[in-house]
Amino acid sequence: MRSLEDILEEYEFLDGDERYRLLIELGRELEPMPDALKTDATLVRGCSASVWVYPIEDGGAGKLHFLADSNAAITKGIVALVLAAVQDQPARDVAGTDIAARLAPFDLKNQLSSNRTQGVPNMIALVREHAARIAAG
């Protein structure tokens, strides 16, 4: 997965339609999430599209790796952005990360329709909740 900084560098040079294409590309680059993990427990509430997020704890390194998927291409790209902010970091760090602040330079609310962005706070909340639960042991 690309770093959030690398994505932002590319994103800043693009216009509206090109930004949509970048988001779709990011979504396609997510590693596949097995259908068995797409359950009610991993479903992000409040999104206009279906979105699933599942944390995997790397026991030895104490880092979290997230699998995610969506049934909508742009939304899947937004999920990829959220994960790029925290992927493969320690659970305690993920729980304490202000993901919204890290995504602020992308100005998603002004770049995308409100339908596309309404679930972003819920995606962020679910990622942080998973991390906090795992960090607490």
Side-chain angles (χ1 to χ4, degrees):
M1 175 174 264
R2 304 183 215 180
S3 74
L4 194 61
E5 292 74 21
D6 287 347
I7 297 167
L8 180 59
E9 189 175 309
E10 183 175 351
Y11 190 84
E12 288 176 332
F13 287 104
L14 301 175
D15 292 332
D17 285 348
E18 293 170 324
R19 287 180 172 181
Y20 276 110
R21 282 192 284 280
L22 175 60
L23 287 173
I24 291 168
E25 182 182 319
L26 291 172
R28 287 184 183 140
E29 291 174 2
L30 282 176
E31 67 187 277
M33 181 179 189
D35 287 340
L37 297 177
K38 296 175 188 175
T39 66
D40 196 53
T42 61
L43 184 67
V44 178
R45 307 278 180 237
C47 293
S48 58
S50 295
V51 177
W52 301 270
V53 177
Y54 183 80
I56 299 171
E57 185 179 6
D58 177 355
K63 295 183 178 185
L64 284 183
H65 183 80
F66 290 92
L67 297 177
D69 200 1
S70 175
N71 62 351
I74 297 284
T75 304
K76 191 170 178 177
I78 295 168
V79 174
L81 271 183
V82 170
L83 295 186
V86 297
Q87 192 70 289
D88 298 324
Q89 295 179 21
R92 180 172 282 114
D93 293 355
V94 173
T97 297
D98 185 345
I99 299 170
R102 298 223 37 223
L103 297 181
F106 291 91
D107 194 25
L108 294 175
K109 285 192 188 282
N110 290 320
Q111 301 294 323
L112 304 169
S113 70
S114 61
N115 275 358
R116 300 245 189 250
T117 59
Q118 69 185 6
V120 173
N122 297 352
M123 290 178 209
I124 291 170
L126 186 63
V127 165
R128 293 186 68 205
E129 287 167 15
H130 282 316
R133 180 179 39 79
I134 291 168

